[in-house]
């Protein structure tokens, strides 16, 4: 039996979604900061009239304050982030992700979209061989060729009922939304029979975006039932390269004799960064530590650590937009806000129109494109 939503908790949820302090929300609404504090700590109740004031000031449907928050266990939501990522941004993205998952899970269920169960791991430890095997099993579950490049990882996941969304926490005052803040991606999968959600930060190189998404799939497979793994990030990194470049093919194309020019050609075929390919070769012991260090020194000398050659295009999600527009029409944000209990600005942030999605800024500067071979 579900408990009724707490308006105070939902007000806090709204603040965290938009990054408002209590003082900022007080200034927008005319409600006192002490009143907001008391309501959020459930020391007093909010009337419908007071909730309507907040709803009007923030462009939020009243239904938002009467729905349960997205329930994602904190130890199950995985972030791929830098060590210096701010706690404030992490908290904000956590809230944003919970609300996004609540809505995406509802859209997938309402649309009766088929979901594919991923393989999973339950034992405490995992070997590199087991990670490679699980990556192969994931390809099979996603109905991907066992030994070929994945031309569109996002679309493969969406066909399996795993939603992929850009993470762009919104602002409602016209300011540019903060992007990233040291984060690269986030994911959640509730396990067998549950829907999954992967979030990535747009504006990064396509090969990094694909790696981030594959990394988050690794978290789903390796950590849905092992939330306290000793080194989940390292495991997910190994899984990502194993998913993108299966061992059976890696041993054919990577060796101690592979030059950086060769790595660029391989990147153009597989859509995986040169640096990730070097790490893949090292993990499979196809190159020794001395050769790995030498290759990274060469990368630095060429300036390729920050800007590699070979352009890999960014992938654009489509599943949630398809489900949303099918239910609410071609201009769905305002009409969907009340039924889905989500501010239109938040909904649009993780379900952009296909035109907006394809138009997000991408870094440039590469010579070749994924899927073609360099001259």
């Amino acid at each position: 039996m579900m408990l009724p939503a707490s308006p105070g908790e939902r007000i806090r949820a709204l603040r965290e979604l938009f990054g408002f302090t209590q003082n900022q929300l007080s200034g927008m609404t005319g409600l006192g900061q002490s009143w907001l504090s008391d309501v959020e700590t459930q020391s007093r109740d909010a009337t419908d009239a007071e909730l309507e004031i907040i709803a009007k000031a923030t462009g939020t449907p009243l239904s938002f304050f009467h729905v349960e928050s997205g329930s994602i266990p904190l130890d199950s939501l995985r972030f791929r982030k830098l060590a210096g990522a701010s706690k404030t941004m992490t908290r904000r993205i956590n809230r944003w992700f919970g609300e996004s998952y609540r809505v995406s899970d509802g859209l997938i269920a309402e649309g009766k979209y088929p979901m594919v169960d991923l393989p999973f791991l339950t034992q405490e430890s995992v070997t590199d061989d087991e990670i490679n095997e699980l990556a192969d099993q994931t390809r099979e579950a996603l109905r991907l060729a066992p030994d070929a490049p994945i031309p569109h990882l996002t679309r493969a996941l969406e066909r399996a009922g795993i939603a992929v969304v850009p993470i762009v926490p919104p602002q409602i005052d016209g300011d540019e939304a903060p992007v990233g803040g040291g984060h690269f991606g986030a994911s959640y999968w509730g396990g067998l029979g549950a829907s999954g959600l992967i979030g990535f930060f747009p504006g990064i190189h396509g090969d990094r975006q694909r790696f981030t998404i594959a990394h988050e799939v690794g978290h789903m497979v390796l950590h849905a039932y092992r939330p306290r793994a000793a080194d989940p990030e390292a495991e997910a990194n190994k899984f990502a390269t194993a998913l993108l470049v299966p061992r059976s093919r890696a041993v054919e194309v990577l060796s101690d004799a592979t030059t950086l020019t060769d790595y660029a050609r391989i990147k153009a075929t597989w859509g995986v960064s040169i640096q990730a390919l070097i790490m893949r070769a090292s993990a499979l012991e196809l190159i020794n530590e001395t050769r790995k260090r030498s290759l990274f020194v060469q990368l630095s000398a060429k300036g390729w650590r920050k800007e590699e050659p070979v352009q890999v295009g960014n992938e654009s999600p489509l599943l949630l937009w398809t489900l949303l527009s099918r239910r609410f029409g071609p201009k769905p944000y305002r009409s969907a806000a009340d039924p889905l209990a989500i501010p239109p600005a938040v909904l649009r942030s993780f379900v952009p129109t296909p035109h907006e999605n394809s138009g997000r800024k991408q870094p440039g500067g590469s010579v070749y494109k994924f899927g073609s071979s360099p001259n």
Side-chain angles (χ1 to χ4, degrees):
M1 180 177 178
M2 291 186 64
L3 296 173
S6 161
E9 195 281 330
R10 296 303 289 161
I11 292 173
R12 181 189 296 273
L14 181 68
R15 285 200 304 102
E16 291 179 349
L17 276 173
F18 287 108
F20 298 144
T21 65
Q22 287 183 347
N23 283 331
Q24 287 173 322
L25 186 56
S26 174
M28 294 171 63
T29 61
L31 299 170
Q33 185 273 329
S34 61
W35 178 89
L36 286 168
S37 179
D38 287 346
V39 171
E40 288 188 15
T41 58
Q42 301 185 41
S43 299
R44 64 189 297 175
D45 294 327
T47 66
D48 286 344
E50 289 162 336
L51 292 176
E52 286 177 3
I53 291 172
I54 298 174
K56 184 176 181 180
T58 60
T60 300
L62 199 59
S63 58
F64 178 86
F65 301 103
H66 300 292
V67 70
E68 278 291 298
S69 294
S71 56
I72 295 180
L74 290 179
D75 62 355
S76 297
L77 179 59
R78 297 289 174 178
F79 287 112
R80 182 170 181 245
K81 61 182 181 179
L82 299 176
S86 79
K87 292 181 180 179
T88 298
M89 180 57 77
T90 297
R91 185 168 56 251
R92 185 176 177 192
I93 294 169
N94 195 324
R95 178 69 73 177
W96 181 96
F97 201 90
E99 296 297 320
S100 301
Y101 180 77
R102 175 179 64 79
V103 172
S104 69
D105 185 53
L107 286 171
I108 289 170
E110 178 73 20
K112 297 181 179 179
Y113 197 86
M115 295 184 294
V116 172
D117 282 325
L118 297 172
F120 59 90
L121 190 67
T122 57
Q123 74 253 28
E124 184 174 344
S125 60
V126 60
T127 66
D128 287 359
D129 284 343
E130 289 170 330
I131 289 176
N132 280 284
E133 177 61 28
L134 285 163
D136 291 342
Q137 291 174 15
T138 300
R139 276 181 167 250
E140 184 177 359
L142 297 177
R143 298 184 180 181
L144 293 167
D147 58 358
I150 303 174
H152 205 302
L153 177 59
T154 296
R155 202 69 76 243
L157 291 166
E158 291 184 322
R159 286 194 298 268
I162 299 169
V164 180
V165 297
I167 301 178
V168 187
Q171 299 277 57
I172 64 170
D173 58 4
D175 292 338
E176 184 178 356
V179 176
H183 299 77
F184 299 108
S187 61
Y188 174 71
W189 178 48
L192 294 176
S195 65
L197 181 66
I198 292 174
F200 67 92
F201 283 95
I204 60 174
H205 290 282
D207 52 293
R208 295 181 183 177
Q209 177 187 319
R210 282 165 53 86
F211 185 90
T212 290
I213 293 170
H215 174 102
E216 298 303 332
V217 178
H219 279 314
M220 291 179 169
V221 171
L222 298 171
H223 307 125
Y225 293 95
R226 298 169 61 242
R228 294 175 179 81
D231 194 350
E233 294 305 305
E235 292 177 359
N237 281 339
K238 290 178 180 178
F239 179 95
T241 50
L243 179 66
L244 294 168
V245 188
R247 175 166 49 186
S248 61
R249 294 302 304 278
V251 298
E252 294 178 2
V253 300
L254 301 173
S255 73
D256 212 42
T258 307
T259 66
L260 283 187
T261 300
D262 296 329
Y263 276 103
R265 291 194 179 96
I266 296 166
K267 176 181 178 179
T269 300
W270 292 87
V272 180
S273 73
I274 294 172
Q275 295 171 71
L277 288 168
I278 294 171
M279 295 303 296
R280 179 66 168 147
S282 176
L284 292 174
E285 298 183 346
L286 302 174
I287 61 174
N288 58 31
E289 190 65 24
T290 300
R291 179 58 176 164
K292 182 178 79 170
R293 285 197 301 269
S294 173
L295 288 168
F296 274 106
V297 168
Q298 294 176 55
L299 278 172
S300 296
K302 291 177 176 289
W304 289 3
R305 291 294 293 268
K306 292 184 178 180
E307 193 72 35
E308 290 188 1
V310 182
Q311 179 178 348
V312 176
N314 291 75
E315 300 180 351
S316 298
L318 193 59
L319 172 60
L320 292 185
W321 168 259
T322 300
L323 295 174
L324 185 70
S325 59
R326 184 181 298 166
R327 182 175 169 187
F328 296 102
K331 296 181 179 180
Y333 301 114
R334 291 192 180 278
S335 59
D338 187 62
L340 299 182
I342 195 78
V346 177
L347 180 60
R348 190 168 197 154
S349 74
F350 68 90
V351 192
T353 66
H355 172 72
E356 290 174 329
N357 209 19
S358 62
R360 292 184 186 277
K361 184 179 180 181
Q362 299 177 10
S366 22
V367 180
Y368 310 113
K369 291 185 177 180
F370 171 42
S372 63
S373 298
N375 296 326

